[in-house]
Amino acid sequence: MKRAAPESAGEPALAIICGAGGLPFAVADAAIRRGRRVVLFALIGFADPKQVAAYPHTWGRMGQANWFIRHATREGCRDMLFIGSVRRPSLWQLRPDLRGLWLLPRILRLYWGGDDRMLTGAAAMLEEYGFRLVGLQEVAPELLMPEGPLGAFAPAEPDCADIERGLALLRANSPFDIGQAVVVANNQVLAVEGPEGTDAMLARVGELRRTGRIRTPAERGVLVKAAKVGQNLRLDLPTIGPQTVEGASAARLAGIAVMAGTTIAAEAANIAAAADRAKLFVVGIRPDEAMR
Amino acid sequence: MKRAAPESAGEPALAIICGAGGLPFAVADAAIRRGRRVVLFALIGFADPKQVAAYPHTWGRMGQANWFIRHATREGCRDMLFIGSVRRPSLWQLRPDLRGLWLLPRILRLYWGGDDRMLTGAAAMLEEYGFRLVGLQEVAPELLMPEGPLGAFAPAEPDCADIERGLALLRANSPFDIGQAVVVANNQVLAVEGPEGTDAMLARVGELRRTGRIRTPAERGVLVKAAKVGQNLRLDLPTIGPQTVEGASAARLAGIAVMAGTTIAAEAANIAAAADRAKLFVVGIRPDEAMR
């Protein structure tokens, strides 16, 4: 436990359960800027040890319910936030502790569900112990995608049709707990994201274009990302970063459309710069526009 | 125009519009066995010239409506059948003839739709000229998937749950004219087919397994294929062959489930042999079972 954050007026400390990537630290910094104390619950094998070391923290694994409950209670954390990417653990990686063993039947049932059910269930279990799940909206809204374009470019008329079709497809796929992204070009669906993730899906679209399997003209097509309908918006929001813009550019798309307010865009300035360099649009859609 | 097929009692000749692969010739042989005369309308760049040469045939391109109409009329063809894989042509590949030019606005409108709309529209245009679209069901039902397992293996209880989920997802995706196949393992959707096709999708699942991105145990998971809801079943049926079994085996799936009667399984004996070698099930689902 290194750097002590300034004590806040009375808000209890925030438990940040950290997966991989830089996002957990952006969230921690944002919470600290707002005067909140944070404790990082760093997941072994996912969270970056170098960055974790700069914050109050403890290391553990998914499935170790007792680890979380004991440390969070001791640190006076009541609110918890899950952030950063976490692959579905393999069963032997769960290594439950004693309380985890007791909860194992429930953990296993979640394990056979999709990613969404797994996270929701884990959060619900901990809520039974008195913890409160909070979302980025409450803790660091400045990390969420704003409405309208980031950068200089905006979608043209045919792009808007592709965006609408992409959003409709994501809505239809919502009950199946698949990926949160699709690529649509000239009304044709080029890809639906699975466990491979957005970057790999964009690489696939680029490859299909290079090999001539997709014949829609380059510089057409939109990456559309949105949270699932009915998804717990305090968990597992879709995310974009500068590398998403680079992937979309390599796939020769016209742009990226995401839902404003429910998509993480922690590096908005870098995203805008990358978009301008690549001559792509990156636009935040208002929820009421998406429902038309 | 080489080999003359035996004249049938009075049924008009069958126009077979041939894309790539061996399937057009299996269909031609089946029709000839039933005593029907066939004429192959071979699509340049798709149909295999060596195999085409063994049948009465003529060469042309998509978009050349006049080519089809003139030759089909001269040969006394009234029924037409589209078979074999055809990639979406690029616009310059259409090379419309005069009648095609006249129809170009309609062709272009189809072009911006999905594959399904394109085929349906092309068939509808030719139907206005008095031709009748026929399906494999009428001409060569023996090439369609039967009910129940091909080969020695059958799905177990958890496989049936994966099959149901896969069919439900394909139904939900039907309005979007995407691929006709998905992979589901332990209730988790591993892949949705896009323009890359089934073989490439299976290769992706295998890769995700090898790199640990998918953690469901090997030998679990089902490739589920089905025609879209409301799809014209005389056009573009889903297809499996021995290479589909090999792809599923390389992706370490438990088996393959397709709709009986609306899936092409032209090489049933080879599929069964490949399935037994790989210890996979390949099962034809009854439509009423799928609707539960």
Side-chain angles (χ1 to χ4, degrees):
Chain A
M1 304 269 167
K2 303 276 174 62
R3 184 167 93 197
E7 280 296 331
S8 112
E11 254 190 326
L14 174 67
I16 302 181
I17 301 161
C18 301
L23 196 54
F25 313 106
V27 174
D29 293 343
I32 291 168
R33 271 197 305 273
R34 285 166 185 255
R36 190 145 189 195
R37 196 165 69 84
V38 303
V39 179
L40 269 46
F41 289 75
L43 294 172
I44 296 170
F46 297 103
D48 173 6
K50 276 193 194 132
Q51 295 191 76
V52 165
Y55 303 83
H57 70 274
T58 165
W59 284 94
R61 290 179 188 275
M62 279 176 287
Q64 299 184 335
N66 205 46
W67 159 64
F68 179 81
I69 293 167
R70 201 177 63 239
H71 282 273
T73 306
R74 181 187 300 161
E75 296 282 343
C77 301
R78 204 174 66 84
D79 294 352
M80 60 181 174
L81 184 134
F82 289 73
I83 194 87
S85 67
V86 175
R87 289 181 186 192
R88 238 173 138 60
S90 70
L91 270 183
W92 64 264
Q93 282 183 315
L94 286 174
R95 302 205 204 155
D97 55 21
L98 261 184
R99 179 123 45 186
L101 271 179
W102 186 67
L103 294 170
L104 200 60
R106 285 175 65 185
I107 293 177
L108 286 179
R109 225 170 316 130
L110 297 173
Y111 185 79
W112 300 129
D115 288 347
D116 192 33
R117 268 170 63 190
M118 192 157 78
L119 272 176
T120 311
M125 278 197 287
L126 294 175
E127 281 180 320
E128 288 178 24
Y129 285 86
F131 298 99
R132 189 175 78 100
L133 180 66
V134 298
L136 222 49
Q137 300 84 338
E138 296 163 70
V139 174
E142 66 268 38
L143 302 182
L144 295 172
M145 181 74 185
E147 286 177 16
L150 280 185
F153 296 87
E157 192 56 37
D159 302 318
C160 293
D162 286 340
I163 293 169
E164 268 188 49
R165 192 163 175 83
L167 289 172
L169 174 57
L170 288 168
R171 269 199 298 279
N173 275 344
S174 278
F176 297 94
D177 197 10
I178 349 180
Q180 302 166 312
V182 296
V183 177
V184 181
N186 283 339
N187 214 27
Q188 196 197 357
V189 179
L190 301 188
V192 176
E193 184 183 320
E196 72 277 13
T198 303
D199 295 346
M201 178 183 66
L202 289 174
R204 179 162 90 241
V205 171
E207 183 62 23
L208 289 171
R209 271 204 159 133
R210 271 186 296 281
T211 57
R213 189 68 193 87
I214 296 175
R215 304 299 183 102
T216 43
E219 279 73 57
R220 290 301 297 274
V222 184
L223 167 67
V224 186
K225 287 193 91 161
K228 290 181 272 279
V229 177
Q231 176 175 338
N232 187 333
L233 294 177
R234 291 168 300 172
L235 285 171
D236 189 30
L237 291 181
T239 302
I240 57 169
Q243 89 289 355
T244 318
V245 178
E246 279 147 30
S249 170
R252 310 193 65 180
L253 301 184
I256 299 172
V258 301
M259 296 299 289
T262 56
T263 303
I264 302 173
E267 300 175 65
N270 293 338
I271 294 172
D276 288 352
R277 269 197 309 276
K279 298 189 169 50
L280 294 189
F281 66 82
V282 177
V283 68
I285 308 290
R286 292 207 331 250
D288 59 327
E289 282 182 324
M291 287 298 128
R292 281 182 313 179
Chain B
M1 304 270 170
K2 303 277 173 62
R3 184 166 94 194
E7 279 297 332
S8 111
E11 256 190 323
L14 174 67
I16 302 180
I17 300 160
C18 301
L23 198 54
F25 313 106
V27 174
D29 292 342
I32 291 169
R33 271 198 306 273
R34 288 167 182 255
R36 189 145 191 195
R37 197 164 69 83
V38 303
V39 178
L40 270 47
F41 289 74
L43 295 172
I44 295 169
F46 296 104
D48 172 7
K50 276 194 191 134
Q51 293 192 76
V52 165
Y55 303 82
H57 69 273
T58 166
W59 285 95
R61 290 179 189 275
M62 280 175 287
Q64 299 185 335
N66 205 44
W67 159 64
F68 179 82
I69 293 167
R70 200 177 63 238
H71 282 274
T73 306
R74 182 187 299 162
E75 295 283 341
C77 301
R78 205 173 65 85
D79 293 353
M80 60 180 174
L81 184 134
F82 289 72
I83 195 86
S85 67
V86 174
R87 291 180 186 193
R88 236 173 139 64
S90 71
L91 270 182
W92 65 263
Q93 282 183 317
L94 285 174
R95 302 207 204 155
D97 56 21
L98 262 181
R99 180 125 39 186
L101 271 180
W102 186 66
L103 294 169
L104 200 58
R106 287 175 63 185
I107 293 176
L108 286 180
R109 225 170 316 130
L110 297 173
Y111 186 79
W112 300 128
D115 288 347
D116 192 33
R117 267 170 63 189
M118 190 158 79
L119 272 175
T120 311
M125 279 196 289
L126 295 175
E127 280 180 320
E128 286 178 24
Y129 285 86
F131 297 99
R132 189 175 77 101
L133 180 67
V134 296
L136 223 48
Q137 301 86 336
E138 297 163 70
V139 174
E142 65 269 38
L143 301 182
L144 294 172
M145 182 73 185
E147 285 177 18
L150 281 183
F153 295 86
E157 193 57 37
D159 301 320
C160 293
D162 285 341
I163 293 169
E164 267 186 49
R165 192 162 175 84
L167 289 172
L169 173 57
L170 287 168
R171 269 199 299 279
N173 275 345
S174 279
F176 297 94
D177 198 9
I178 348 179
Q180 302 166 313
V182 296
V183 177
V184 181
N186 284 338
N187 215 29
Q188 196 197 357
V189 179
L190 301 188
V192 176
E193 184 183 319
E196 72 276 15
T198 304
D199 296 345
M201 177 184 65
L202 289 174
R204 179 163 90 240
V205 171
E207 184 62 22
L208 289 172
R209 272 206 158 132
R210 270 186 297 281
T211 56
R213 190 67 192 87
I214 297 176
R215 304 298 183 102
T216 43
E219 278 74 55
R220 292 298 299 274
V222 184
L223 167 67
V224 186
K225 287 194 88 160
K228 291 180 270 280
V229 178
Q231 177 174 340
N232 187 334
L233 294 178
R234 293 168 298 173
L235 284 172
D236 189 31
L237 292 180
T239 303
I240 56 168
Q243 88 291 353
T244 318
V245 178
E246 279 148 30
S249 170
R252 309 196 66 182
L253 301 184
I256 298 172
V258 300
M259 296 300 289
T262 56
T263 305
I264 302 173
E267 301 176 64
N270 293 339
I271 293 171
D276 288 353
R277 268 197 309 276
K279 297 191 170 46
L280 294 189
F281 67 81
V282 178
V283 69
I285 308 289
R286 290 203 339 245
D288 59 328
E289 282 182 323
M291 286 301 127
R292 282 181 314 179

